Amino acid sequence: RRQKKTASHAVTELENTKDCSQAGKPLLCPSHPTEELRLFCEQCDQPVCRDCVLGRHRQHPCDVTGNVIHRHGDALRELLKSSQQHMDTLEDVLSQVDEMGSAVRSRAEAVAAEICQFARGYVKAIEEHRDRLLKQLEDLKVQKENLLHLQKAQLQQLLLDMRTGVEFTEHLLMSGSDVEILITKGVVSSRLTKLNSIAYSTHPSVDDRIQFSPHERAGQCCGYEVFGAILNKVVDPARCTLHGEDLHSARQNQLSGFTLLCKDTTGERMGRGGETVRVTITHKDKRDCALKPTVCDNGDGTYCISYSPEEPGLYAVCVCVKGQHVQGSPFTLMVRHKFREHQGVFHCCTFCSSGGQKAARCACGGTMPGGYQGCGHGHKGHPGCHHWSCCGQVKESSECLCAPPSDTSQRSLLRTVAL
Protein backbone atom coordinates (compact mmCIF):
# COMPACT_ATOMS: atom_id res chain seq x y z
CA ARG A 1 0.00 0.00 0.00
CA ARG A 2 2.99 2.30 0.42
CA GLN A 3 4.06 1.90 -3.21
CA LYS A 4 2.92 4.58 -5.60
CA LYS A 5 1.96 2.16 -8.39
CA THR A 6 -0.13 -0.11 -6.14
CA ALA A 7 -1.53 2.42 -3.70
CA SER A 8 -5.01 2.27 -5.30
CA HIS A 9 -5.11 -1.53 -5.62
CA ALA A 10 -7.36 -3.72 -3.53
CA VAL A 11 -5.24 -6.10 -1.42
CA THR A 12 -6.64 -9.18 0.33
CA GLU A 13 -5.18 -12.15 2.20
CA LEU A 14 -4.34 -15.21 0.13
CA GLU A 15 -6.43 -17.35 2.44
CA ASN A 16 -9.48 -15.28 1.55
CA THR A 17 -9.02 -15.81 -2.20
CA LYS A 18 -9.41 -19.59 -2.15
CA ASP A 19 -13.18 -19.48 -2.45
CA CYS A 20 -13.18 -16.83 -5.16
CA SER A 21 -10.41 -18.39 -7.21
CA GLN A 22 -10.44 -17.55 -10.90
CA ALA A 23 -9.31 -21.03 -11.86
CA GLY A 24 -11.03 -22.10 -15.07
CA LYS A 25 -11.80 -18.53 -16.10
CA PRO A 26 -9.95 -17.15 -19.10
CA LEU A 27 -7.31 -14.50 -18.41
CA LEU A 28 -7.57 -11.44 -20.59
CA CYS A 29 -4.65 -9.45 -21.98
CA PRO A 30 -3.97 -6.20 -20.08
CA SER A 31 -3.17 -4.44 -23.38
CA HIS A 32 -6.13 -5.92 -25.26
CA PRO A 33 -8.97 -6.49 -22.74
CA THR A 34 -11.11 -8.37 -25.27
CA GLU A 35 -8.41 -10.92 -26.12
CA GLU A 36 -7.54 -14.00 -24.08
CA LEU A 37 -3.94 -14.86 -23.17
CA ARG A 38 -3.42 -18.08 -25.13
CA LEU A 39 0.10 -17.67 -26.48
CA PHE A 40 3.58 -17.45 -24.82
CA CYS A 41 6.45 -15.29 -26.08
CA GLU A 42 9.75 -17.13 -25.57
CA GLN A 43 11.85 -14.02 -26.08
CA CYS A 44 9.94 -11.85 -23.63
CA ASP A 45 9.11 -14.79 -21.35
CA GLN A 46 5.47 -13.76 -20.84
CA PRO A 47 1.94 -14.80 -21.99
CA VAL A 48 0.54 -12.77 -24.87
CA CYS A 49 -2.65 -12.61 -26.90
CA ARG A 50 -3.16 -12.84 -30.61
CA ASP A 51 -3.16 -9.07 -31.09
CA CYS A 52 0.14 -8.84 -29.21
CA VAL A 53 1.72 -11.36 -31.59
CA LEU A 54 0.53 -9.28 -34.52
CA GLY A 55 1.84 -6.16 -32.83
CA ARG A 56 5.07 -5.65 -30.90
CA HIS A 57 5.78 -9.40 -30.62
CA ARG A 58 5.66 -9.88 -34.37
CA GLN A 59 9.25 -11.13 -34.80
CA HIS A 60 9.38 -13.01 -31.49
CA PRO A 61 9.13 -16.82 -31.27
CA CYS A 62 5.73 -17.63 -29.75
CA ASP A 63 3.85 -20.84 -29.06
CA VAL A 64 0.59 -21.97 -27.52
CA THR A 65 0.63 -22.01 -23.73
CA GLY A 66 -0.34 -25.67 -23.65
CA ASN A 67 2.80 -26.61 -25.58
CA VAL A 68 5.27 -24.77 -23.34
CA ILE A 69 3.64 -25.22 -19.96
CA HIS A 70 5.30 -28.60 -19.33
CA ARG A 71 8.79 -27.22 -19.92
CA HIS A 72 8.38 -24.13 -17.78
CA GLY A 73 6.44 -26.10 -15.18
CA ASP A 74 9.28 -28.60 -14.87
CA ALA A 75 11.76 -25.74 -14.38
CA LEU A 76 9.54 -24.31 -11.66
CA ARG A 77 9.30 -27.71 -10.02
CA GLU A 78 13.10 -28.03 -10.01
CA LEU A 79 13.40 -24.58 -8.47
CA LEU A 80 10.71 -25.52 -5.98
CA LYS A 81 12.54 -28.72 -5.10
CA SER A 82 15.83 -26.83 -4.64
CA SER A 83 14.09 -24.20 -2.52
CA GLN A 84 12.51 -26.89 -0.36
CA GLN A 85 15.95 -28.45 0.16
CA HIS A 86 17.34 -25.07 1.18
CA MET A 87 14.40 -24.68 3.56
CA ASP A 88 15.18 -28.03 5.15
CA THR A 89 18.83 -27.06 5.42
CA LEU A 90 17.95 -23.71 6.96
CA GLU A 91 15.67 -25.40 9.47
CA ASP A 92 18.49 -27.79 10.41
CA VAL A 93 20.95 -24.90 10.74
CA LEU A 94 18.49 -22.96 12.89
CA SER A 95 18.04 -26.03 15.06
CA GLN A 96 21.82 -26.40 15.37
CA VAL A 97 22.14 -22.70 16.22
CA ASP A 98 19.56 -23.09 18.97
CA GLU A 99 21.34 -26.19 20.27
CA MET A 100 24.70 -24.41 20.14
CA GLY A 101 23.23 -21.49 22.06
CA SER A 102 22.05 -23.86 24.76
CA ALA A 103 25.45 -25.58 24.76
CA VAL A 104 27.25 -22.22 25.04
CA ARG A 105 25.10 -21.21 27.99
CA SER A 106 25.65 -24.58 29.68
CA ARG A 107 29.38 -24.44 29.04
CA ALA A 108 29.61 -20.88 30.31
CA GLU A 109 27.85 -21.89 33.52
CA ALA A 110 30.25 -24.85 33.94
CA VAL A 111 33.31 -22.66 33.34
CA ALA A 112 31.95 -20.07 35.77
CA ALA A 113 31.68 -22.82 38.37
CA GLU A 114 35.28 -23.87 37.62
CA ILE A 115 36.44 -20.27 37.98
CA CYS A 116 34.71 -19.92 41.32
CA GLN A 117 36.16 -23.21 42.50
CA PHE A 118 39.64 -22.14 41.31
CA ALA A 119 39.30 -18.78 43.04
CA ARG A 120 38.18 -20.43 46.27
CA GLY A 121 41.11 -22.83 46.11
CA TYR A 122 43.53 -20.03 45.25
CA VAL A 123 42.26 -17.90 48.11
CA LYS A 124 42.55 -20.87 50.46
CA ALA A 125 46.11 -21.53 49.24
CA ILE A 126 47.07 -17.88 49.73
CA GLU A 127 45.56 -17.85 53.19
CA GLU A 128 47.41 -21.02 54.14
CA HIS A 129 50.62 -19.59 52.69
CA ARG A 130 50.01 -16.41 54.68
CA ASP A 131 49.53 -18.40 57.88
CA ARG A 132 52.67 -20.39 57.12
CA LEU A 133 54.69 -17.23 56.54
CA LEU A 134 53.39 -15.69 59.75
CA LYS A 135 54.24 -18.89 61.63
CA GLN A 136 57.72 -18.87 60.11
CA LEU A 137 58.12 -15.21 61.05
CA GLU A 138 56.99 -15.90 64.61
CA ASP A 139 59.43 -18.82 64.92
CA LEU A 140 62.24 -16.67 63.58
CA LYS A 141 61.38 -13.89 66.03
CA VAL A 142 61.28 -16.33 68.97
CA GLN A 143 64.58 -17.84 67.87
CA LYS A 144 66.27 -14.45 67.70
CA GLU A 145 64.76 -13.41 71.03
CA ASN A 146 65.92 -16.63 72.68
CA LEU A 147 69.45 -16.08 71.41
CA LEU A 148 69.37 -12.52 72.67
CA HIS A 149 68.03 -13.64 76.07
CA LEU A 150 70.76 -16.28 76.33
CA GLN A 151 73.44 -13.76 75.40
CA LYS A 152 71.97 -11.27 77.84
CA ALA A 153 71.97 -13.81 80.68
CA GLN A 154 75.57 -14.79 79.95
CA LEU A 155 76.70 -11.17 79.80
CA GLN A 156 74.81 -10.32 83.01
CA GLN A 157 76.40 -13.24 84.83
CA LEU A 158 79.85 -12.26 83.53
CA LEU A 159 79.23 -8.65 84.55
CA LEU A 160 78.10 -9.74 88.02
CA ASP A 161 81.18 -11.93 88.45
CA MET A 162 83.46 -9.11 87.32
CA ARG A 163 81.72 -6.56 89.54
CA THR A 164 82.08 -8.88 92.52
CA GLY A 165 85.73 -9.50 91.76
CA VAL A 166 86.44 -5.80 91.18
CA GLU A 167 84.65 -4.75 94.39
CA PHE A 168 86.45 -7.40 96.40
CA THR A 169 89.83 -6.37 94.94
CA GLU A 170 89.15 -2.67 95.52
CA HIS A 171 88.09 -3.36 99.12
CA LEU A 172 91.19 -5.51 99.64
CA LEU A 173 93.50 -2.83 98.31
CA MET A 174 91.85 -0.08 100.35
CA SER A 175 91.17 -1.83 103.64
CA GLY A 176 93.47 -4.86 103.74
CA SER A 177 96.83 -4.95 105.39
CA ASP A 178 100.01 -5.68 103.54
CA VAL A 179 100.03 -9.23 104.79
CA GLU A 180 96.37 -9.79 103.82
CA ILE A 181 97.01 -8.42 100.32
CA LEU A 182 100.04 -10.65 99.86
CA ILE A 183 98.17 -13.70 101.18
CA THR A 184 95.12 -13.25 98.85
CA LYS A 185 97.04 -11.80 95.90
CA GLY A 186 97.34 -15.15 94.13
CA VAL A 187 93.65 -16.06 94.40
CA VAL A 188 92.47 -12.60 93.43
CA SER A 189 94.84 -12.38 90.47
CA SER A 190 93.83 -15.82 89.28
CA ARG A 191 90.14 -14.90 89.53
CA LEU A 192 90.50 -11.58 87.70
CA THR A 193 92.73 -13.15 85.02
CA LYS A 194 90.18 -15.89 84.43
CA LEU A 195 87.35 -13.36 84.18
CA ASN A 196 89.34 -11.19 81.79
CA SER A 197 90.13 -14.18 79.59
CA ILE A 198 86.48 -15.11 79.07
CA ALA A 199 85.58 -14.37 75.42
CA TYR A 200 82.37 -12.55 74.71
CA SER A 201 80.92 -10.79 71.70
CA THR A 202 80.87 -7.02 71.68
CA HIS A 203 77.79 -7.02 69.43
CA PRO A 204 74.37 -8.63 69.71
CA SER A 205 74.44 -12.26 68.63
CA VAL A 206 71.65 -11.67 66.09
CA ASP A 207 70.49 -8.77 63.97
CA ASP A 208 67.10 -7.41 62.93
CA ARG A 209 67.53 -8.18 59.24
CA ILE A 210 64.22 -9.83 58.44
CA GLN A 211 62.88 -9.14 54.96
CA PHE A 212 59.88 -10.22 52.96
CA SER A 213 60.29 -10.78 49.21
CA PRO A 214 56.87 -10.87 47.49
CA HIS A 215 58.36 -11.99 44.16
CA GLU A 216 60.30 -14.95 45.58
CA ARG A 217 58.98 -18.35 44.47
CA ALA A 218 57.74 -20.28 47.47
CA GLY A 219 56.80 -23.61 45.89
CA GLN A 220 53.26 -24.95 45.91
CA CYS A 221 50.48 -24.79 48.43
CA CYS A 222 47.27 -26.81 47.96
CA GLY A 223 48.32 -27.49 44.38
CA TYR A 224 48.84 -23.79 43.52
CA GLU A 225 52.15 -22.08 42.95
CA VAL A 226 52.58 -19.28 45.47
CA PHE A 227 55.01 -16.42 45.84
CA GLY A 228 56.48 -14.60 48.79
CA ALA A 229 59.22 -15.69 51.18
CA ILE A 230 60.88 -14.45 54.35
CA LEU A 231 64.55 -13.69 53.85
CA ASN A 232 66.71 -13.70 56.94
CA LYS A 233 70.03 -14.68 55.37
CA VAL A 234 72.61 -11.93 55.02
CA VAL A 235 75.63 -12.34 52.79
CA ASP A 236 79.00 -12.34 54.55
CA PRO A 237 81.81 -11.32 52.15
CA ALA A 238 84.42 -12.92 54.41
CA ARG A 239 82.74 -16.31 53.94
CA CYS A 240 82.18 -16.05 50.17
CA THR A 241 84.51 -18.30 48.17
CA LEU A 242 85.94 -18.41 44.64
CA HIS A 243 86.07 -21.56 42.50
CA GLY A 244 87.23 -22.52 39.02
CA GLU A 245 90.12 -23.94 37.02
CA ASP A 246 90.88 -20.53 35.49
CA LEU A 247 91.11 -18.81 38.87
CA HIS A 248 94.86 -18.17 38.77
CA SER A 249 95.82 -18.88 35.15
CA ALA A 250 94.44 -18.04 31.72
CA ARG A 251 95.39 -17.90 28.06
CA GLN A 252 95.80 -14.85 25.85
CA ASN A 253 92.70 -14.08 23.71
CA GLN A 254 90.85 -17.02 25.24
CA LEU A 255 87.58 -16.75 27.16
CA SER A 256 88.19 -17.73 30.78
CA GLY A 257 86.41 -17.32 34.07
CA PHE A 258 85.64 -18.48 37.58
CA THR A 259 82.66 -18.74 39.94
CA LEU A 260 81.82 -16.76 43.07
CA LEU A 261 79.82 -18.63 45.73
CA CYS A 262 78.08 -16.31 48.20
CA LYS A 263 77.45 -17.51 51.76
CA ASP A 264 75.71 -16.06 54.79
CA THR A 265 77.08 -15.35 58.23
CA THR A 266 76.72 -19.02 59.23
CA GLY A 267 78.62 -20.25 56.18
CA GLU A 268 75.54 -21.58 54.40
CA ARG A 269 74.90 -20.93 50.72
CA MET A 270 72.67 -17.93 50.10
CA GLY A 271 70.45 -19.70 47.57
CA ARG A 272 69.41 -16.46 45.86
CA GLY A 273 71.02 -13.70 43.85
CA GLY A 274 70.72 -9.94 43.75
CA GLU A 275 73.98 -9.07 45.51
CA THR A 276 76.25 -6.23 44.38
CA VAL A 277 79.37 -7.89 42.97
CA ARG A 278 82.29 -5.79 41.71
CA VAL A 279 85.29 -7.35 39.94
CA THR A 280 88.44 -5.55 38.76
CA ILE A 281 91.30 -7.17 36.80
CA THR A 282 94.36 -4.92 36.30
CA HIS A 283 97.73 -5.64 34.70
CA LYS A 284 100.50 -5.28 37.27
CA ASP A 285 103.12 -3.97 34.82
CA LYS A 286 100.79 -1.97 32.56
CA ARG A 287 98.54 0.19 34.71
CA ASP A 288 96.56 1.36 31.70
CA CYS A 289 95.78 -2.28 30.78
CA ALA A 290 92.64 -3.44 32.56
CA LEU A 291 90.08 -6.09 31.66
CA LYS A 292 86.33 -5.61 31.66
CA PRO A 293 84.94 -8.80 33.18
CA THR A 294 81.33 -9.84 32.82
CA VAL A 295 79.41 -10.81 35.97
CA CYS A 296 76.42 -13.11 35.44
CA ASP A 297 73.98 -13.59 38.33
CA ASN A 298 72.72 -17.19 38.27
CA GLY A 299 70.00 -16.41 40.82
CA ASP A 300 71.05 -19.27 43.14
CA GLY A 301 73.81 -17.58 45.12
CA THR A 302 76.51 -18.12 42.49
CA TYR A 303 77.97 -15.59 40.07
CA CYS A 304 79.95 -16.42 36.91
CA ILE A 305 82.79 -13.99 36.17
CA SER A 306 84.17 -14.27 32.62
CA TYR A 307 86.93 -12.34 30.86
CA SER A 308 89.17 -12.52 27.79
CA PRO A 309 92.70 -11.10 28.31
CA GLU A 310 94.41 -9.54 25.31
CA GLU A 311 97.82 -8.99 26.90
CA PRO A 312 99.89 -11.72 28.60
CA GLY A 313 101.42 -11.11 31.99
CA LEU A 314 100.56 -10.92 35.68
CA TYR A 315 97.22 -9.41 36.71
CA ALA A 316 95.76 -8.39 40.06
CA VAL A 317 92.16 -9.51 40.59
CA CYS A 318 89.81 -8.00 43.20
CA VAL A 319 86.38 -9.46 43.92
CA CYS A 320 84.16 -7.47 46.27
CA VAL A 321 80.64 -8.05 47.56
CA LYS A 322 78.91 -5.02 49.03
CA GLY A 323 82.21 -3.15 48.89
CA GLN A 324 84.18 -5.78 50.88
CA HIS A 325 86.72 -8.29 49.62
CA VAL A 326 85.61 -11.91 49.52
CA GLN A 327 87.68 -14.78 50.85
CA GLY A 328 90.91 -15.04 48.84
CA SER A 329 90.65 -11.57 47.31
CA PRO A 330 92.76 -9.92 46.02
CA PHE A 331 94.76 -12.59 44.17
CA THR A 332 97.09 -12.80 41.16
CA LEU A 333 96.25 -14.12 37.72
CA MET A 334 98.90 -15.27 35.26
CA VAL A 335 97.94 -14.87 31.61
CA ARG A 336 100.14 -16.94 29.34
CA HIS A 337 100.63 -16.56 25.61
CA LYS A 338 97.97 -18.03 23.42
CA PHE A 339 98.16 -21.74 22.65
CA ARG A 340 100.90 -22.39 20.12
CA GLU A 341 100.01 -24.87 17.39
CA HIS A 342 102.62 -27.29 16.09
CA GLN A 343 104.23 -26.24 12.81
CA GLY A 344 105.83 -29.61 12.02
CA VAL A 345 104.50 -33.11 11.49
CA PHE A 346 103.62 -35.82 14.00
CA HIS A 347 105.71 -38.73 12.73
CA CYS A 348 107.70 -41.74 13.82
CA CYS A 349 111.08 -40.56 12.46
CA THR A 350 112.81 -38.10 10.15
CA PHE A 351 114.00 -40.88 7.86
CA CYS A 352 110.45 -41.94 6.98
CA SER A 353 109.04 -38.41 6.73
CA SER A 354 111.77 -37.02 4.48
CA GLY A 355 112.01 -39.95 2.16
CA GLY A 356 115.53 -40.88 3.32
CA GLN A 357 117.17 -37.45 3.08
CA LYS A 358 120.46 -37.44 4.98
CA ALA A 359 120.44 -33.71 5.70
CA ALA A 360 116.95 -33.69 7.29
CA ARG A 361 116.97 -33.00 11.01
CA CYS A 362 114.31 -33.34 13.73
CA ALA A 363 113.70 -31.34 16.87
CA CYS A 364 113.82 -34.48 19.01
CA GLY A 365 117.62 -34.39 18.66
CA GLY A 366 117.95 -38.02 17.61
CA THR A 367 120.44 -39.18 14.97
CA MET A 368 121.11 -42.42 13.14
CA PRO A 369 124.37 -43.86 11.76
CA GLY A 370 125.36 -43.63 8.14
CA GLY A 371 125.70 -39.89 7.87
CA TYR A 372 122.07 -39.08 8.64
CA GLN A 373 121.44 -35.89 10.67
CA GLY A 374 117.96 -36.88 11.89
CA CYS A 375 116.40 -39.75 13.81
CA GLY A 376 115.45 -43.01 12.18
CA HIS A 377 112.73 -45.55 12.85
CA GLY A 378 114.02 -47.88 15.54
CA HIS A 379 117.55 -46.41 15.47
CA LYS A 380 119.66 -44.87 18.17
CA GLY A 381 118.39 -41.50 19.31
CA HIS A 382 114.74 -42.19 18.53
CA PRO A 383 112.48 -41.35 21.52
CA GLY A 384 110.65 -44.63 21.11
CA CYS A 385 107.27 -43.26 20.00
CA HIS A 386 105.66 -40.80 17.63
CA HIS A 387 106.67 -37.17 18.16
CA TRP A 388 106.41 -33.70 16.64
CA SER A 389 109.20 -32.78 14.26
CA CYS A 390 109.05 -29.10 15.26
CA CYS A 391 109.71 -29.44 19.00
CA GLY A 392 109.99 -33.12 19.85
CA GLN A 393 106.78 -33.31 21.93
CA VAL A 394 105.48 -36.87 22.16
CA LYS A 395 101.81 -35.92 22.77
CA GLU A 396 99.86 -35.13 19.64
CA SER A 397 97.48 -32.69 21.44
CA SER A 398 100.28 -30.86 23.26
CA GLU A 399 101.38 -27.26 22.88
CA CYS A 400 104.37 -26.52 20.70
CA LEU A 401 107.54 -25.74 22.64
CA CYS A 402 109.00 -23.64 19.86
CA ALA A 403 109.72 -20.06 20.84
CA PRO A 404 107.31 -17.34 19.65
CA PRO A 405 108.05 -15.87 16.19
CA SER A 406 109.79 -12.87 17.81
CA ASP A 407 112.48 -15.12 19.28
CA THR A 408 114.44 -15.95 16.13
CA SER A 409 117.55 -17.18 17.96
CA GLN A 410 115.91 -20.32 19.29
CA ARG A 411 113.66 -20.84 16.33
CA SER A 412 116.63 -20.97 13.96
CA LEU A 413 117.99 -23.97 15.81
CA LEU A 414 114.92 -26.11 15.00
CA ARG A 415 114.47 -27.44 11.51
CA THR A 416 111.09 -29.00 10.79
CA VAL A 417 110.40 -31.73 8.29
CA ALA A 418 107.36 -31.49 6.00
CA LEU A 419 105.61 -34.74 5.26
Side-chain angles (χ1 to χ4, degrees):
R1 295 182 184 276
R2 292 192 298 270
Q3 301 298 324
K4 183 176 180 181
K5 293 183 178 181
T6 58
S8 60
H9 293 189
V11 181
T12 60
E13 297 289 341
L14 290 176
E15 297 293 334
N16 299 333
T17 60
K18 291 182 179 180
D19 298 336
C20 56
S21 176
Q22 296 182 357
K25 295 182 180 181
L27 296 177
L28 301 180
C29 179
S31 302
H32 308 91
T34 59
E35 293 294 330
E36 184 179 354
L37 297 174
R38 294 182 177 181
L39 302 174
F40 185 79
C41 179
E42 296 288 350
Q43 182 173 342
C44 299
D45 195 27
Q46 66 179 24
V48 295
C49 66
R50 183 179 58 183
D51 292 345
C52 292
V53 173
L54 297 176
R56 58 193 181 91
H57 297 274
R58 180 184 299 275
Q59 302 297 331
H60 297 178
C62 297
D63 199 352
V64 181
T65 56
N67 296 335
V68 300
I69 186 61
H70 63 88
R71 178 160 51 85
H72 292 279
D74 292 343
L76 285 176
R77 291 186 186 90
E78 290 296 329
L79 288 175
L80 177 61
K81 183 178 180 181
S82 177
S83 300
Q84 290 175 344
Q85 292 177 353
H86 282 293
M87 290 176 58
D88 295 339
T89 303
L90 289 173
E91 290 178 355
D92 293 340
V93 172
L94 288 173
S95 177
Q96 293 178 10
V97 169
D98 292 338
E99 293 177 358
M100 185 56 66
S102 301
V104 167
R105 289 189 293 272
S106 300
R107 186 57 187 162
E109 293 176 357
V111 172
E114 292 179 2
I115 293 174
C116 294
Q117 183 179 0
F118 170 80
R120 287 193 296 268
Y122 209 167
V123 170
K124 182 180 178 182
I126 293 176
E127 291 178 348
E128 289 189 8
H129 183 53
R130 176 201 61 193
D131 297 340
R132 188 169 60 186
L133 288 175
L134 293 177
K135 178 66 168 54
Q136 182 180 353
L137 178 61
E138 181 66 22
D139 294 343
L140 182 60
K141 184 194 73 171
V142 171
Q143 179 184 1
K144 287 179 176 290
E145 289 179 344
N146 290 339
L147 292 176
L148 290 175
H149 290 160
L150 177 60
Q151 183 185 17
K152 182 179 179 180
Q154 293 174 348
L155 292 176
Q156 287 177 342
Q157 183 63 42
L158 180 59
L159 178 61
L160 179 61
D161 294 341
M162 283 190 171
R163 181 178 288 117
T164 302
V166 168
E167 291 177 352
F168 178 81
T169 304
E170 289 178 347
H171 180 73
L172 176 64
L173 293 175
M174 292 177 60
S175 304
S177 63
D178 296 342
V179 177
E180 291 176 343
I181 294 175
L182 293 175
I183 291 175
T184 58
K185 175 184 72 66
V187 178
V188 173
S189 298
S190 176
R191 178 60 175 170
L192 292 179
T193 302
K194 183 178 179 180
L195 291 175
N196 292 333
S197 64
I198 296 177
Y200 59 92
S201 175
T202 58
H203 302 282
S205 58
V206 297
D207 51 42
D208 60 346
R209 296 178 182 177
I210 303 176
Q211 298 177 350
F212 174 70
S213 177
H215 303 292
E216 192 85 11
R217 292 182 179 272
Q220 289 192 347
C221 184
C222 300
Y224 296 87
E225 186 175 3
V226 292
F227 294 83
I230 296 177
L231 306 178
N232 63 325
K233 288 186 176 182
V234 180
V235 64
D236 186 358
R239 295 182 179 270
C240 298
T241 55
L242 300 172
H243 307 273
E245 297 180 356
D246 300 332
L247 190 60
H248 296 284
S249 63
R251 288 278 187 178
Q252 180 184 5
N253 295 329
Q254 181 177 341
L255 184 64
S256 305
F258 53 90
T259 302
L260 168 65
L261 176 59
C262 288
K263 299 181 181 180
D264 62 3
T265 54
T266 62
E268 295 183 0
R269 181 170 171 173
M270 287 296 295
R272 58 181 176 85
E275 303 296 341
T276 303
V277 179
R278 183 173 177 268
V279 182
T280 58
I281 305 178
T282 309
H283 201 290
K284 283 198 170 185
D285 298 330
K286 302 177 182 179
R287 294 299 178 182
D288 57 343
C289 179
L291 304 181
K292 294 182 178 180
T294 301
V295 180
C296 179
D297 187 352
N298 297 325
D300 57 355
T302 61
Y303 300 81
C304 293
I305 295 95
S306 58
Y307 55 91
S308 180
E310 297 181 358
E311 293 289 338
L314 195 62
Y315 288 78
V317 184
C318 297
V319 182
C320 298
V321 175
K322 291 186 176 180
Q324 301 180 24
H325 285 279
V326 301
Q327 188 178 137
S329 175
F331 61 93
T332 57
L333 168 68
M334 172 57 76
V335 177
R336 294 179 292 171
H337 288 276
K338 61 182 179 180
F339 189 86
R340 289 192 294 272
E341 301 288 344
H342 290 281
Q343 302 300 320
V345 292
F346 192 69
H347 62 182
C348 65
C349 65
T350 312
F351 181 80
C352 297
S353 301
S354 64
Q357 296 181 10
K358 292 185 177 182
R361 299 184 62 182
C362 184
C364 71
T367 60
M368 58 180 291
Y372 287 92
Q373 300 295 326
C375 60
H377 184 66
H379 291 80
K380 183 180 180 180
H382 189 275
C385 59
H386 281 69
H387 57 280
W388 285 99
S389 63
C390 52
C391 62
Q393 285 276 66
V394 295
K395 289 186 177 180
E396 187 174 5
S397 59
S398 61
E399 182 181 8
C400 186
L401 297 179
C402 293
S406 59
D407 191 356
T408 57
S409 60
Q410 295 183 10
R411 182 181 57 167
S412 61
L413 299 177
L414 300 176
R415 299 180 182 178
T416 60
V417 176
L419 181 62

